[in-house]
Amino acid sequence: MPNKKIEELPGKTVERLSQYRRLLFNSVELGKTNIYSHELARMMNLTPVQVRRDLMLIGYSGSQSKGYVIKDLISLIGKIIDSDTGQRIAIMGMGNLGRAITSYFTGKREKLSIVAAFDNDPQKYDRIIAGVPCYHINKLKEVVQKENIGIAILTVAPQATHEATKLMLEAGVKGILNYTSVPVSVPEGVFLEEYDIITSLEKLAFLVKK
Amino acid sequence: MPNKKIEELPGKTVERLSQYRRLLFNSVELGKTNIYSHELARMMNLTPVQVRRDLMLIGYSGSQSKGYVIKDLISLIGKIIDSDTGQRIAIMGMGNLGRAITSYFTGKREKLSIVAAFDNDPQKYDRIIAGVPCYHINKLKEVVQKENIGIAILTVAPQATHEATKLMLEAGVKGILNYTSVPVSVPEGVFLEEYDIITSLEKLAFLVKK
């Protein structure tokens, strides 16, 4: 199966590959070496056909009798979705949420590292917080460039969102994960993911009350 | 515009209504009283047509010259998406993420309250954490029923996810917001939202490396 179209994989497929890998890591911890498409499908509430299609898209097909070899599949997914050199990440805003995300995330993925945090609170900058050096905002551009940071996670207060985004874009980040309650926009060539806890809860609350 | 189909609003529309309201709250804080569809559209990276269609669906149309009256629109969205009596929420797992979400969320929405947390760590239960009473897991059913809790937020360790889900379903919650790295499934009549930080970061990292 040719891999020449790997760069054109849809975002949704990349999300599922990331989710498959996460389940494969769990399965390794449970001592499994092989897994069937129907097992992956059940764990993810997908059809086995969808799982097989996704994995064929990255050039992998298992054996009918033994399923997929977990170790090989983890390694292949890594080759597809990870950057060779790893991706370096900064946290913008080291409040409760910034700290929680940093602690949660640290060490979870070899190729993704949170290497710096920024805050303008004197209680926070010039310290190590949750294992990561926290700098004053005025060091942002210098640190982003020196540390070769490509992605910023925004966990600042709502009113600081636009300014934080502007600074990160000026410093040259190419991806922004926005966890504030204020939507932002980014120029072409920069990628944006946004997630708001309150929206998820309000949607659930609406569905539940029906 | 008849409202008889309100209960059938698609989930995506409810998400956008929640997001409009969030922007309207911000606008009120900035001293604004009226807002145009094109302003809301720009803030959310939507077309003005989409905004007008969503708001007509809930029976609201602004004036050509003055736009929407923010106060009225906030109140109408509340009538549509909020529960009259409010929705009561529990946090399952009071680690870093559970605490961060609780602190972040508290007081943000009148009709949604986090009223209990559960954990099996003796350092955590039988205390007030981030303003919320934390109970031992063995009190779960009793507290969920007594406190009339309809939604559970899962922030437990990956290996505890399935057990935590099972307990919450047995206790009678109707909505689950799963922040663990393990997907869960729920029976018919129960609503599920899942979000995983690592998947979002891996997707961004893939897009950025292209």
Side-chain angles (χ1 to χ4, degrees):
Chain A
M1 188 85 19
N3 284 359
K4 66 177 172 142
K5 295 223 168 166
I6 287 301
E7 290 187 6
E8 292 158 28
L9 282 181
K12 283 282 163 202
T13 308
V14 176
E15 279 179 28
R16 284 196 300 272
L17 290 172
S18 162
Q19 288 161 346
Y20 295 142
R21 179 163 66 169
R22 180 176 95 175
L23 293 172
L24 295 169
F25 283 135
N26 290 344
S27 302
V28 167
E29 281 180 25
L30 297 172
K32 284 176 74 103
T33 58
N34 290 62
I35 198 163
Y36 293 98
S37 54
H38 67 83
E39 294 176 285
L40 278 173
R42 186 176 39 76
M43 288 191 272
M44 279 181 58
N45 299 317
L46 298 171
T47 65
V49 170
Q50 174 79 69
V51 172
R52 288 196 290 268
R53 194 188 298 144
D54 286 338
L55 298 184
M56 279 179 57
L57 212 60
I58 62 167
Y60 194 72
S61 49
S63 101
Q64 196 102 69
S65 58
K66 293 193 172 170
Y68 304 112
V69 179
I70 294 178
K71 187 170 60 63
D72 295 350
L73 191 46
I74 287 177
S75 152
L76 180 61
I77 293 176
K79 278 194 193 116
I80 306 286
I81 71 176
D82 292 342
S83 146
D84 288 342
T85 51
Q87 189 58 253
R88 298 165 72 80
I89 301 163
I91 298 263
M92 189 73 168
M94 215 41 168
N96 280 315
L97 194 59
R99 279 200 306 275
I101 288 174
T102 307
S103 311
Y104 171 80
F105 187 71
T106 301
K108 285 273 203 306
R109 289 293 179 275
E110 206 185 324
K111 294 293 190 181
L112 294 174
S113 354
I114 297 178
V115 295
F118 299 95
D119 209 296
N120 59 9
D121 176 352
Q123 300 288 319
K124 292 179 187 150
Y125 60 78
D126 295 337
R127 286 163 206 242
I128 306 283
I129 301 179
V132 168
C134 184
Y135 303 93
H136 189 275
I137 304 286
N138 65 19
K139 297 253 176 70
L140 193 140
K141 196 162 186 176
E142 176 193 333
V143 174
V144 165
Q145 293 175 350
K146 195 182 68 185
E147 294 282 351
N148 194 22
I149 289 165
I151 292 177
I153 301 178
L154 297 189
T155 47
V156 296
Q159 63 276 17
T161 307
H162 287 297
E163 180 67 13
T165 307
K166 186 167 154 274
L167 290 172
M168 280 295 181
L169 292 172
E170 281 170 4
V173 304
K174 293 294 172 215
I176 288 182
L177 182 48
N178 178 18
Y179 286 124
T180 77
S181 61
V182 177
V184 303
S185 50
V186 295
E188 209 169 320
V190 178
F191 299 91
L192 173 68
E193 293 278 309
E194 305 199 288
Y195 181 77
D196 178 51
I197 294 168
I198 295 176
T199 299
S200 289
L201 273 173
E202 289 191 333
K203 181 181 170 191
L204 262 185
F206 173 81
L207 295 169
V208 161
K209 82 165 175 169
K210 285 204 290 195
Chain B
M1 187 86 19
N3 284 0
K4 66 178 173 145
K5 295 223 168 168
I6 286 302
E7 290 185 6
E8 292 159 29
L9 282 181
K12 282 283 161 199
T13 308
V14 176
E15 279 179 28
R16 284 196 300 271
L17 290 173
S18 163
Q19 288 161 346
Y20 296 141
R21 179 163 66 169
R22 180 177 96 177
L23 293 172
L24 295 170
F25 282 137
N26 290 344
S27 302
V28 167
E29 280 181 25
L30 296 173
K32 282 177 73 102
T33 58
N34 290 61
I35 199 164
Y36 292 99
S37 54
H38 67 83
E39 294 177 284
L40 278 172
R42 186 175 38 78
M43 288 192 270
M44 279 181 57
N45 300 317
L46 297 171
T47 63
V49 171
Q50 175 78 71
V51 173
R52 288 194 292 267
R53 194 189 298 143
D54 286 337
L55 299 184
M56 277 178 58
L57 211 60
I58 62 168
Y60 194 72
S61 49
S63 100
Q64 195 102 71
S65 58
K66 293 193 172 171
Y68 304 113
V69 178
I70 294 177
K71 187 170 61 63
D72 295 351
L73 190 47
I74 287 177
S75 152
L76 180 63
I77 293 177
K79 278 192 193 118
I80 305 285
I81 71 177
D82 293 341
S83 145
D84 288 343
T85 52
Q87 189 59 250
R88 297 164 73 78
I89 302 163
I91 297 265
M92 189 73 167
M94 214 42 166
N96 281 317
L97 194 59
R99 279 201 305 277
I101 288 173
T102 308
S103 309
Y104 172 79
F105 187 72
T106 301
K108 285 274 203 305
R109 288 293 179 275
E110 207 185 324
K111 294 293 190 181
L112 295 175
S113 353
I114 297 178
V115 296
F118 299 95
D119 208 296
N120 59 9
D121 176 351
Q123 300 289 318
K124 290 178 187 153
Y125 59 78
D126 295 337
R127 286 163 206 243
I128 306 283
I129 302 178
V132 169
C134 184
Y135 303 93
H136 189 275
I137 303 286
N138 66 17
K139 298 253 176 69
L140 194 140
K141 197 164 185 173
E142 175 192 334
V143 174
V144 165
Q145 292 174 353
K146 194 182 68 185
E147 294 283 352
N148 194 21
I149 289 166
I151 293 177
I153 301 178
L154 297 190
T155 47
V156 295
Q159 64 276 16
T161 307
H162 287 298
E163 180 67 14
T165 307
K166 186 168 155 274
L167 291 172
M168 279 296 180
L169 292 172
E170 282 169 6
V173 303
K174 292 293 171 219
I176 288 182
L177 182 48
N178 178 18
Y179 285 124
T180 77
S181 61
V182 176
V184 303
S185 49
V186 295
E188 207 169 322
V190 177
F191 298 90
L192 173 68
E193 293 277 309
E194 303 198 290
Y195 181 78
D196 178 51
I197 294 168
I198 294 176
T199 299
S200 289
L201 273 173
E202 288 190 334
K203 182 180 170 192
L204 262 185
F206 173 81
L207 294 169
V208 162
K209 82 164 173 167
K210 284 202 293 193

